Amino acid sequence: APGFAEAEESAPLSTRDVPAILSFLKQRERSGKAPIAGVLTMGSEIPEVLAAVAERFELAGPSRETARPASDKFAMKQRFAECGVPTPWFAEVGTLAELRAHLALRGKLVLKPVDRSGSRGVFVLDPSCDPSCDVAELHRRSLEFSYSGRVQVEEYLEGPQLSTETVLWDGRAVTPGFADRNYELAERFHPQVMENGGWLPSRFTGTERARVEEVVERAARALGITRGVAKGDVVFTRQGPMVIEIAARLSGGDLCESIVPLSSGVNYVRSVIRIALGEEPDWRELEPRFTRHVANRYFFPAPGRLLAIEGAEAVRAQPWVKKLAFAYRPGDVVPPATSHATRAGVFVVVAEEREALERRVAWVYRTLRLVTESDATVRAAG
């Protein structure tokens, strides 16, 4: 854990092991160390852990009533339906026979675990248009990803998708995180659902953006998030914006950490820390200071042993490349890209115009290459 080098205190505990975390924090308390001031998470779907810590130490944070639907996508959809939040049709699936029945009745559907994130176990099912679609195999794989052994299906919605992040404090809310999601590799990964980064600023402005912000705020409050942050996944359909999911946390994937600050100068991680301390955010800090075009993209090389990373120094030398990071080193084995947890790397680039940004993204992909044994075999054969 790289953070261990920076932290004044650390412990090798699973972030999902509530008893171990509470035991560690109680031991700190008994030893006379400074009391815990707040609890929050970035990029990790553990609202039940935040709720347990907040309750035990009387901290600001999500309640157990909020944590359940925020960590169970089926319960979340039920809450949306009860509160009138626009969301696609959905149903929990207990058996393969039930899944086949839903497909026969409704056609194209999305299958996913009720309790995972990062595209783990998420598949598009469309047997009528995709003869290679093995429904039984995809059902099995989705179940394997679920902690609880539960999966659900929901209507497949056509339309551009957005990532949002909303900061809430009682009756006030602002959405500084607002990015267009990029699915240019959808055919490559089909039937798996995998995005490849995103763009800022969004193509949605004015009234359209206001409509998205309104529905994600309603969705957050439907889950009981009144003081904190809500990460939204939204599809803008012909009927308007519909909420796929809401997470009671800060995002992973660079959005809050670097992309929004680079695009608008807004650091809302600071605002969420304030809320975790029980303080109202400084709303002036959430106002954009400038507009810059920013994109993040990922590397998905062929699986196999990584032999070399070519072109990295040339990419790093560009002043408009703000981040370049790899998850594997030469000698490591790169697994198949089954979720965002297995992507091989990421880069973030900036530009003053969208067209220049697109050219820079393409240049990085042309210049940098992660060579695996699979690539080497192809080169030798060529």
Side-chain angles (χ1 to χ4, degrees):
F4 281 11
E6 304 295 333
E8 293 179 7
E9 297 179 54
S10 60
L13 302 174
S14 166
T15 56
R16 295 185 178 275
D17 190 340
V18 175
I21 291 170
L22 292 179
S23 176
F24 169 74
L25 295 177
K26 290 174 185 176
Q27 189 174 14
R28 282 188 78 262
E29 191 176 49
R30 288 193 293 268
S31 67
K33 292 184 177 180
I36 296 297
V39 58
L40 60 83
T41 184
M42 177 191 292
S44 185
E45 205 78 85
I46 51 171
E48 70 283 2
V49 177
L50 301 189
V53 173
E55 181 179 85
R56 167 61 181 80
F57 294 95
E58 299 182 347
L59 303 171
S63 66
R64 291 184 183 271
E65 290 72 24
T66 293
R68 180 178 177 272
S71 57
D72 183 318
K73 299 182 194 301
F74 183 68
M76 179 187 300
K77 298 281 191 179
Q78 289 179 312
R79 187 70 60 81
F80 289 165
E82 292 168 0
C83 297
V85 175
T87 195
W89 172 89
F90 64 98
E92 188 168 358
V93 175
T95 65
L96 178 58
E98 285 182 30
L99 176 57
R100 293 189 187 279
H102 286 307
L103 281 168
L105 182 64
R106 294 185 171 271
K108 192 173 184 179
L109 296 173
V110 177
L111 173 70
K112 63 177 64 172
V114 303
D115 50 6
R116 294 305 299 269
S117 60
S119 296
R120 295 173 179 86
V122 183
F123 302 104
V124 175
L125 306 182
D126 191 10
S128 62
C129 297
D130 181 8
S132 66
C133 179
D134 188 337
V135 175
E137 173 64 11
L138 296 179
H139 179 246
R140 181 192 67 78
R141 288 170 61 187
S142 191
L143 278 170
E144 283 184 347
F145 274 102
S146 174
Y147 290 123
S148 60
R150 296 166 54 223
V151 296
Q152 69 182 51
V153 287
E154 56 191 55
E155 176 188 3
Y156 179 89
L157 298 177
E158 297 285 352
Q161 296 195 30
L162 301 110
S163 293
T164 65
E165 279 193 276
T166 303
V167 177
L168 302 101
W169 179 270
D170 296 341
R172 190 170 181 178
V174 64
T175 303
F178 200 100
D180 295 339
R181 305 179 82 167
N182 174 40
Y183 283 93
E184 65 185 1
L185 301 180
E187 290 187 10
R188 172 183 168 183
F189 290 117
H190 181 82
Q192 189 175 333
V193 178
M194 289 271 282
E195 70 178 272
N196 185 25
W199 305 91
L200 269 80
S202 170
R203 74 180 76 174
F204 293 96
T205 60
T207 302
E208 288 182 329
R209 174 163 179 159
R211 292 175 67 189
V212 174
E213 292 181 351
E214 189 269 336
V215 297
V216 294
E217 289 172 21
R218 284 170 54 196
R221 292 194 171 95
L223 298 184
I225 304 172
T226 56
R227 290 187 175 186
V229 63
K231 173 191 174 296
D233 294 339
V234 179
V235 180
F236 206 105
T237 71
R238 292 181 179 179
Q239 293 72 41
M242 300 190 75
V243 179
I244 304 300
E245 295 169 6
I246 291 288
R249 59 172 171 85
L250 286 163
S251 63
D254 305 296
L255 183 63
C256 66
E257 175 260 325
S258 57
I259 299 175
V260 172
L262 286 169
S263 179
S264 65
V266 175
N267 177 6
Y268 56 94
V269 175
R270 180 186 293 116
S271 302
V272 177
I273 291 173
R274 282 182 181 270
I275 294 173
L277 297 174
E279 303 172 4
E280 182 174 2
D282 183 343
W283 299 102
R284 294 170 299 179
E285 291 184 349
L286 296 171
E287 297 174 359
R289 302 206 309 270
F290 52 79
T291 299
R292 182 184 294 127
H293 293 265
V294 185
N296 68 322
R297 293 291 186 272
Y298 305 123
F299 296 108
F300 299 102
R305 190 171 302 281
L306 183 61
L307 302 180
I309 300 176
E310 300 174 348
E313 293 310 312
V315 172
R316 285 198 175 95
Q318 304 305 315
W320 40 264
V321 175
K322 300 302 180 180
K323 179 177 182 178
L324 179 64
F326 302 103
Y328 306 99
R329 299 176 180 176
D332 292 342
V333 175
V334 178
T338 57
S339 74
H340 280 296
T342 58
R343 64 196 181 210
V346 60
F347 64 93
V348 175
V349 296
V350 301
E352 295 306 316
E353 298 178 352
R354 176 68 174 255
E355 292 76 14
L357 189 68
E358 293 174 351
R359 290 194 298 270
R360 288 172 175 178
V361 167
W363 181 87
V364 172
Y365 275 132
R366 288 196 309 270
T367 304
L368 196 145
R369 184 176 178 84
L370 285 85
V371 182
T372 64
E373 287 176 329
S374 301
D375 300 309
T377 301
V378 171
R379 288 181 177 185

